Amino acid sequence: LKRVFKYMFPKYREIDFLDEEVERGKAALLEEMATGLAHEIRNPLGSIKGAAQYLKSEEDGDRNGKLLDVIIEETDRLDGVMSRFLNYANPYSVNADIQDINRIVEKVIALLKTKSIPDNTVIDKSLDYEIPNIRVDGEQIMQVLMNVGLNGIEAMPDGGRLSFATAKIMGDGDRSVEIIISDTGCGVNRKDLSGIFKPFFTTKPKGTGLGLSICSRIIRNHGGRIDVESEPGMGTTFFIRL
């Protein structure tokens, strides 16, 4: 319908094109700022961490030692935030090759099962083994699926069901597939759902708000799309189309 609307109303196409130009301009500016910003922040962070580690080695008191541990942990956390920020800001080079999506999903499930997950957590799959192989960057798609899967597990602190499914997208060419990842966790309210893929948007107390933004960018760079549906108290489902 969107394509038909654009065809019928050329002015709409112009507006859409301008929006894309603005987004590309924002991305270029962010990329330019990221490296310099990371350098300016990481240098003092390294000094703070080094000083705290030195003081800890000289410290005999338990109370001050705990405070120094907090300083070291928080500098490590900030350094991790900067790494994720650089991952988001820098353009991704997609090293695509013909891949079996089901094998990637199965590998992700195996990795998730090695993590420390809450009791009563079930990870299951419903894979369509007739779907076609498609050209993707396997490592990047694994990164996306791991991130979404870990988010699902975090949304179920008392356990629940994390499900992976694959399917062929009918009527959308011979090489289009969908990966569906759903959990039975706490869900996301409608107000927060609209910003879930925006950089630095998070509902987690210690979240950076970059994980799903990076996932969205990876999928877009593959020419695909990622959508989400959620109901508070009922769970969340991600739809990844490639």
Side-chain angles (χ1 to χ4, degrees):
L1 285 174
K2 187 177 180 181
R3 286 196 294 268
V4 171
F5 191 74
K6 288 180 183 179
Y7 178 78
M8 293 175 65
F9 300 96
K11 288 293 182 184
Y12 180 85
R13 291 205 303 273
E14 292 174 15
I15 292 169
D16 200 50
F17 176 75
L18 288 173
D19 287 343
E20 291 176 6
E21 284 292 302
V22 169
E23 288 302 316
R24 279 197 290 269
K26 287 180 181 177
L29 181 61
L30 186 61
E31 180 188 342
E32 185 178 338
M33 292 171 56
T35 304
L37 183 63
H39 177 76
E40 291 298 323
I41 292 176
R42 275 180 159 164
N43 279 353
L45 272 183
S47 299
I48 293 168
K49 182 178 178 180
Q53 287 174 325
Y54 174 77
L55 290 172
K56 183 172 171 58
S57 69
E58 300 290 318
E59 175 62 42
D60 292 329
D62 184 57
R63 180 167 177 253
N64 287 341
K66 288 181 179 178
L67 291 174
L68 291 168
D69 283 338
V70 170
I71 294 172
I72 293 168
E73 288 171 10
E74 289 303 294
T75 53
D76 284 339
R77 188 172 73 85
L78 285 173
D79 188 64
V81 170
M82 290 311 305
S83 294
R84 287 188 286 276
F85 176 59
L86 284 171
N87 283 341
Y88 177 79
N90 292 332
Y92 285 91
S93 175
V94 177
N95 299 312
D97 197 4
I98 297 297
Q99 298 281 348
D100 180 344
I101 290 296
N102 287 323
R103 287 190 63 185
I104 294 176
V105 171
E106 287 173 336
K107 190 182 295 187
V108 167
I109 291 173
L111 288 171
L112 288 172
K113 287 181 176 179
T114 67
K115 303 290 183 182
S116 177
I117 59 179
D119 293 336
N120 303 318
T121 299
V122 176
I123 304 176
D124 62 19
K125 62 184 180 182
S126 176
L127 307 182
D128 179 357
Y129 290 99
E130 299 299 320
I131 63 172
N133 293 342
I134 58 173
R135 186 177 292 277
V136 295
D137 186 318
E139 291 300 318
Q140 290 186 10
I141 298 303
M142 274 192 66
Q143 179 184 345
V144 171
L145 302 188
M146 281 293 294
N147 193 297
V148 174
L150 288 170
N151 281 352
I153 290 170
E154 285 183 18
M156 304 183 294
D158 298 321
R161 183 175 297 274
L162 179 67
S163 302
F164 289 79
T166 57
K168 182 178 179 180
I169 301 177
M170 304 304 294
D172 195 19
D174 295 330
R175 296 288 175 186
S176 298
V177 302
E178 185 172 53
I179 307 164
I180 304 105
I181 306 172
S182 60
D183 65 65
T184 57
C186 56
V188 183
N189 65 54
R190 185 172 296 179
K191 177 175 67 72
D192 291 334
L193 200 62
S194 61
I196 202 168
F197 295 116
K198 293 180 180 177
F200 303 109
F201 179 89
T202 183
T203 57
K204 300 176 185 177
K206 289 192 175 182
T208 62
L210 286 171
L212 288 177
S213 299
I214 292 171
C215 290
S216 177
R217 188 164 186 188
I218 288 173
I219 298 302
R220 288 201 314 270
N221 286 351
H222 278 78
R225 60 180 293 176
I226 179 169
D227 297 301
V228 60
E229 293 180 0
S230 188
E231 191 71 32
M234 300 293 290
T236 303
T237 301
F238 285 84
F239 302 89
I240 299 168
R241 298 173 178 89
L242 295 163

